[in-house]
Amino acid sequence: MHSTWLLTSLSLLLTPLVAATPSSQPAHAVSQVYDTTDRIPLPNIGHIAAHDPNIILWDNWYYLFQGGVGILIHRAQNLSGPWEDVGTVLSGPSVIHTQNRTRPWAPTTIHTNGTFYCYYTLSEHGSRNSAIGVATTTSLTGKSQDWTDHGAIIHTGNGNGSDIYPFNVSNAIDASFITDNSTGQSYLNYGSFWTDIWQVPLSDDLLSLKDPTNPDAVHLTYLPEQKQRPEEGSWMSFRDGYYYAWFSHGKCCRFQKFPGRGKEYEIRVGRSTNVRGPFEDKDGVQLLDGGGTVIYASNHGVVYAPGGLGVLPGNDSTATPDILYYHYLNTTIGFTDEDARLGWNYLKYEDGWPVVIEGNDIGNATTSNAGSVISAPGGFALTMAMSLWLYI
Ligand SMILES: *[C@@H]1O[C@H](CO)[C@@H](O)[C@H](O)[C@H]1NC(C)=O
Ligand SMILES: *[C@@H]1O[C@H](CO)[C@@H](O)[C@H](O)[C@H]1NC(C)=O
Ligand SMILES: *[C@@H]1O[C@H](CO)[C@@H](O)[C@H](O)[C@H]1NC(C)=O
Ligand SMILES: *[C@@H]1O[C@H](CO)[C@@H](O)[C@H](O)[C@H]1NC(C)=O
Ligand SMILES: *[C@@H]1O[C@H](CO)[C@@H](O)[C@H](O)[C@H]1NC(C)=O
Ligand SMILES: *[C@@H]1O[C@H](CO)[C@@H](O)[C@H](O)[C@H]1NC(C)=O
Ligand SMILES: *[C@@H]1O[C@H](CO)[C@@H](O)[C@H](O)[C@H]1NC(C)=O
Ligand SMILES: *[C@@H]1O[C@H](CO)[C@@H](O)[C@H](O)[C@H]1NC(C)=O
Ligand SMILES: *[C@@H]1O[C@H](CO)[C@@H](O)[C@H](O)[C@H]1NC(C)=O
């Protein structure tokens, strides 16, 4: 892919300057597979362990949902903490009979019409036997008995409806949610590896597919020329006329064996004026053709494999910016799923493309002169190539 090519050639170009090592080095040379770039800003530290975090702002509290026994809920009045334990969504195993029912993954919670909907995943690493279910509550007290588990919306691999296209070729994990402003129709986005990411319309009660036997799915992202298709963790946001399809690209976890540099998780995006796509990246490459503009990636030799993201919408009337949040590994701490930490950055938009802001100064996100940020790997590569030219 274009931007991957640029990043790869960039890291080769920069090798003498930053003592980085090309990805052909043995994977055990751990310190040499980190990206040491300082062109991508460090995160604001969330001060909480989180893998695939999901955050909503409700009643002046940030509620953080994440995978764990019953789906864990924490809350804080500041994204940098301190976080307090609120409880869990489920008080026992999910009503869905697939995989490990006690430990759902990757929730996405939304609030509408007085009800909170928590879309969650049951799966197992490397398996397509997966399901996306939903639980609801009318209050976020955290007492799990307040939530009602409505069970599965999508099965893949096995289970009801898993023989229907595209459920027979996709992996029902990592749900995200978007409502089409102009029609009021809501959609679930999901998918991981296999055929990457899909979108299906939901019924008006948001608890099932609009038409389970003819799901009217659209394909959102795909890596057509690869055997491994590491795109997952979809998110969709809307701002100023564009829908943004976000996802994580690369290897998420299990870093007992390190992938080549740049093959670990990173956060990519494409946009469309239509909620159903097609989505394309900043270089005009379709997300269905392997496209995706890199918005956040490993940096400073400290932040590794950021992904599992979400976007908290800003508020136009008070000019608060959108916030990108995600998990990352701190290379000085460790590389297990439990080592993943919450990080976040304000976003600003340049020509309608999101740019990650350094620091937690809201003013830096709402003025046009933000400091040391990247706009895109393409732009970054160009800038660096130009400075190298001057340097040489
Ligand atoms: C949030 O926490 C950070 C870091 O602890 C602090 O710098 C910032 O002032 C806090 N923001 C608010 C609005 O309290
Ligand atoms: C399911 O997950 C829970 C929590 O991680 C764990 O204690 C339990 O052993 C798992 N069950 C199976 C059958 O793997
Ligand atoms: C399977 O799904 C269909 C369509 O949603 C539904 O009508 C049917 O009741 C389901 N069957 C079972 C056993 O859950
Ligand atoms: C999935 O379903 C479609 C439509 O029924 C069918 O054409 C296709 O062969 C199926 N694919 C697999 C891998 O089962
Ligand atoms: C819906 O449209 C209005 C008016 O254009 C806009 O202000 C708002 O941000 C949109 N929201 C979403 C979620 O699409
Ligand atoms: C909105 O909530 C009301 C009250 O709970 C309920 O009667 C109505 O069906 C809900 N509407 C939708 C679209 O879910
Ligand atoms: C924006 O913030 C103001 C002040 O906090 C609030 O009154 C308003 O409802 C918010 N608007 C949106 C769209 O969230
Ligand atoms: C990484 O961990 C080190 C040591 O605990 C800490 O000093 C540093 O602030 C952390 N950085 C980030 C971005 O988490
Ligand atoms: C805001 O941006 C300026 C210029 O890049 C930078 O020096 C400053 O540290 C930033 N503020 C914060 C709080 O990060």
Side-chain angles (χ1 to χ4, degrees):
M1 197 201 69
H2 191 47
S3 40
T4 306
W5 181 85
L6 281 170
L7 273 181
T8 307
S9 25
L10 179 64
S11 40
L12 291 170
L13 272 174
L14 285 179
T15 298
L17 294 183
V18 296
T21 307
S23 54
S24 57
Q25 285 293 306
H28 65 261
V30 167
S31 64
Q32 298 177 335
V33 300
Y34 308 152
D35 200 313
T36 55
T37 181
D38 62 0
R39 305 292 168 178
I40 296 174
L42 286 165
N44 292 303
I45 298 177
H47 294 118
I48 187 168
H51 192 261
D52 291 339
N54 166 237
I55 300 176
I56 64 169
L57 179 59
W58 173 249
D59 202 17
N60 293 317
W61 289 88
Y62 294 103
Y63 284 84
L64 167 68
F65 297 78
Q66 62 167 309
V69 175
I71 306 168
L72 313 178
I73 313 174
H74 290 83
R75 70 173 190 175
Q77 290 189 299
N78 184 325
L79 279 177
S80 291
W83 295 91
E84 58 185 56
D85 184 2
V86 176
T88 62
V89 172
L90 304 181
S91 53
S94 162
V95 298
I96 306 168
H97 285 264
T98 195
Q99 301 290 11
N100 189 335
R101 298 162 55 208
T102 63
R103 198 205 170 284
W105 288 356
T108 284
T109 305
I110 60 127
H111 177 254
T112 185
N113 192 30
T115 300
F116 299 89
Y117 297 77
C118 178
Y119 298 93
Y120 65 83
T121 295
L122 294 179
S123 190
E124 202 57 55
H125 200 88
S127 171
R128 210 169 67 74
N129 292 337
S130 309
I132 291 167
V134 61
T136 60
T137 187
T138 52
S139 88
L140 275 186
T141 60
K143 295 199 190 74
S144 50
Q145 56 271 30
D146 292 343
W147 289 80
T148 304
D149 185 3
H150 301 272
I153 298 178
I154 302 173
H155 285 282
T156 57
N158 54 30
N160 194 8
S162 61
D163 55 331
I164 292 169
Y165 182 84
F167 309 126
N168 67 345
V169 296
S170 55
N171 186 16
I173 76 167
D174 293 353
S176 65
F177 181 96
I178 187 77
T179 301
D180 183 338
N181 221 359
S182 57
T183 62
Q185 175 65 50
S186 295
Y187 298 90
L188 204 66
N189 310 308
Y190 77 94
S192 167
F193 285 73
W194 284 277
T195 52
D196 293 324
I197 299 170
W198 294 83
Q199 181 187 72
V200 282
L202 287 171
S203 58
D204 289 345
D205 67 6
L206 309 181
L207 301 176
S208 58
L209 295 178
K210 190 173 179 110
D211 184 347
T213 54
N214 180 23
D216 186 24
V218 295
H219 209 171
L220 295 182
T221 83
Y222 189 55
L223 292 164
E225 278 159 23
Q226 294 182 27
K227 276 193 198 134
Q228 286 279 310
R229 301 196 172 91
E231 293 186 343
E232 58 187 5
S234 70
W235 186 265
M236 201 167 276
S237 60
F238 177 86
R239 187 185 170 280
D240 209 8
Y242 286 107
Y243 292 90
Y244 293 87
W246 301 77
F247 56 98
S248 305
H249 177 283
K251 184 175 166 71
C252 72
C253 26
R254 304 204 163 184
F255 291 114
Q256 296 88 341
K257 187 172 186 297
F258 286 81
R261 247 184 69 168
K263 294 216 157 48
E264 74 277 17
Y265 247 23
E266 62 183 16
I267 295 169
R268 296 187 177 190
V269 81
R271 73 178 190 188
S272 174
T273 53
N274 189 326
V275 69
R276 309 227 71 192
F279 290 83
E280 63 178 39
D281 69 14
K282 200 177 177 182
D283 297 326
V285 181
Q286 303 282 312
L287 299 196
L288 281 176
D289 204 16
T293 296
V294 180
I295 301 297
Y296 200 70
S298 301
N299 61 79
H300 290 83
V302 173
V303 171
Y304 188 70
L309 73 128
V311 176
L312 272 165
N315 176 338
D316 286 343
S317 70
T318 52
T320 58
D322 286 359
I323 293 170
L324 176 69
Y325 63 85
Y326 46 85
H327 74 239
Y328 67 96
L329 296 165
N330 183 325
T331 58
T332 69
I333 296 178
F335 296 92
T336 69
D337 284 7
E338 291 70 35
D339 292 320
R341 315 285 301 170
L342 175 69
W344 63 274
N345 297 83
Y346 288 121
L347 292 174
K348 66 170 189 161
Y349 290 77
E350 286 176 352
D351 298 328
W353 289 99
V355 176
V356 170
I357 300 297
E358 178 178 355
N360 64 1
D361 184 346
I362 222 170
N364 279 358
T366 51
T367 60
S368 53
N369 284 328
S372 140
V373 296
I374 55 157
S375 52
F380 171 32
L382 189 60
T383 311
M384 287 312 294
M386 285 165 66
S387 29
L388 280 172
W389 178 255
L390 294 174
Y391 180 78
I392 294 160

